[in-house]
């Protein structure tokens, strides 16, 4: 079985990795039904405090787990994830479940079919027991939503789990099973992973087919260990023709994670080029990560960020106009149900000229050019994920100002636009024990390399803190 991280003191089934669960099913040590019941008991202890779930379906999951148990008893599992509990972010369609996009302004209509990532998980035998929460339209790095209850961070209930994969991050940190699926267009799996102590991969654009596809939009795994993220990728990366932006099928060996940092050229990016100032604790964790790779033989060079004020403001204008296009089509009464922060931010999009919006979109091309130039000289980048350690649960963003909405994503958003794979992994903790993430970025299409670097870092970083326990009644 997988050797647990020191902070993963296995006391119950919900703490086991997906890799360990599969081995346990094979050996007959426990069944999918037993695992699910343990997860559901743990959910009952945590959920009143963190509100991570949407469309929770324990009875439906029990039926799926029973059939999985029967298959394992016969030695006939249907796929790589047969019997493993999984959650799916609310905006990834699952058949028969409405997709509110975190917003009270969205009309509730049951999805007609599974989106590609959900379909792959179901085909692999995963036990999907719930969807997870997100903020309005996925446009906040926060657990704040006009549709869902406020989602909180298990490490500190007064703090934000991040977003937009807020429920997925909170659920993973709280131990709602090993596998959670999020989406990311500017940092939405990596920021919650940073603030919740997790591993999250934003793959190369198109590596995981999605529906609907969009510029920079990807789905990605959110897990406690790198091996589980790789296991999910072996399922999620299978082809689906519904995504016209997806990559050609590729026989990547997702288990081939052994990678030596020796002689690799790694850029340490401590200045994103714009955005919020880097807090001291975050800087120290990123520098410590770089030194760990240096001790393993890597060549570390400080590099400049690829963002500028003009680029970040351009992205802001582009997204404001895009959001206003959606909101402007709603009747005023329905539009008013959206989060006030989102409304105030999007309304200014109506005042932008066509040239303003095109300049904003062209910022994505400037990022691509800068990223390509950077990776001519280096193999990987190490950087902070977020410039700040944490922020209050009730806020929409670290700077709670719709006129400055994206100051905290300058380290994450460039890799969506440039299409590079990037992983967030826990690098340490502040003095109060709150997790701080480190980001590892690779060249386009080097998804397995990025995961290999994250796997190497797991071995370099040393013992980690135990996962948080449910609050006492």
């Amino acid at each position: 079985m997988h050797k647990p991280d020191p902070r993963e003191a296995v006391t119950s089934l919900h703490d086991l990795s997906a890799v360990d669960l599969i081995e346990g099913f094979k050996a007959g040590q426990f069944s999918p039904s037993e695992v699910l019941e343990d997860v559901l008991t743990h959910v009952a202890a945590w959920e009143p405090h963190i509100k991570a779930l949407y469309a929770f379906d324990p009875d439906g999951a029990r039926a799926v787990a029973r059939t999985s148990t029967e298959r394992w008893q016969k030695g006939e599992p249907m796929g790589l994830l047969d019997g493993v509990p999984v959650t799916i972010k609310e905006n990834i369609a699952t058949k028969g479940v409405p997709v509110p996009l975190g917003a009270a302004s969205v009309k509730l209509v049951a999805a007609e079919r599974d989106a590609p990532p959900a379909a792959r998980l179901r085909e692999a035998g995963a036990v999907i027991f719930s969807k997870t929460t997100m903020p309005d339209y996925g446009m906040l790095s926060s657990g704040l939503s006009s549709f869902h209850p406020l989602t909180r961070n298990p490490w500190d209930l007064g703090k934000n789990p991040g977003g937009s994969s807020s429920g997925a991050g909170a659920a993973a940190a709280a131990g709602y099973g090993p596998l959670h699926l999020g989406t990311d267009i500017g940092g939405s799996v990596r920021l919650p992973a940073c603030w919740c102590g997790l591993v999250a991969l934003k793959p190369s654009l198109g590596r995981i087919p999605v529906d609907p596809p969009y510029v920079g939009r990807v789905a990605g795994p959110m897990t406690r260990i790198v091996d589980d993220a790789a296991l999910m990728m072996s399922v999620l990366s299978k082809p689906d023709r519904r995504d016209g932006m997806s990559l050609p099928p590729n026989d990547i060996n997702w288990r081939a994670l052994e990678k030596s940092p020796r002689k690799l050229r790694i850029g340490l990016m401590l200045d994103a080029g714009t955005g919020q100032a880097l807090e001291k604790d975050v800087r120290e964790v990123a520098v410590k990560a770089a030194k760990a790779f240096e001790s393993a033989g890597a060549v570390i060079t400080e590099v400049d960020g690829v963002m500028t004020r003009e680029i970040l403001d351009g992205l802001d204008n582009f997204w404001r106009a895009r959001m206003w296009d959606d909101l402007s089509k709603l009747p005023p009464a329905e539009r008013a149900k959206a989060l006030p922060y989102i409304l105030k931010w999007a309304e200014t999009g109506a005042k932008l000229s066509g040239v303003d919006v095109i300049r904003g979109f062209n910022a994505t091309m400037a990022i691509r050019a800068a990223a390509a130039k950077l990776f001519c000289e280096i193999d990987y980048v190490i950087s902070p994920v977020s410039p700040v350690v944490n922020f209050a649960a009730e806020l929409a963003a670290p700077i709670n100002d719709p006129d400055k909405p994206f100051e905290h994503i300058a380290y994450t958003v460039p890799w969506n636009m440039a299409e590079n794979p990037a992983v967030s992994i826990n690098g340490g903790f502040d003095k109060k024990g709150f997790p701080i993430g480190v980001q590892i970025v690779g060249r386009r299409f080097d998804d397995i390399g990025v995961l290999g670097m994250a796997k190497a870092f797991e071995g370099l970083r040393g013992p980690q803190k135990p996962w948080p326990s449910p609050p006492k009644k």
Side-chain angles (χ1 to χ4, degrees), residues 252-275:
I252 295 171
N253 182 3
W254 293 102
R255 296 184 180 182
L257 295 180
E258 298 303 319
K259 189 177 185 72
S260 171
R262 191 169 182 271
K263 294 186 178 181
L264 288 177
R265 300 167 299 171
I266 298 178
L268 175 59
M269 185 182 291
L270 296 174
D271 185 350
T274 191

Side-chain angles (χ1 to χ4, degrees), residues 379-418:
D379 301 304
Y380 296 95
V381 165
I382 291 175
S383 81
V385 183
S386 158
V388 302
V389 174
N390 55 42
F391 64 108
E394 295 79 10
L395 300 184
I399 295 178
N400 200 38
D401 182 354
D403 291 332
K404 299 177 180 179
F406 300 131
E407 302 302 299
H408 60 288
I409 67 170
Y411 290 101
T412 53
V413 72
W415 314 118
N416 294 81
M417 302 303 116

Side-chain angles (χ1 to χ4, degrees), residues 28 58 64 67 82 85 312 322 400:
V64 174
T67 58
D82 203 345
L312 190 60
R322 175 178 176 261
N400 200 38

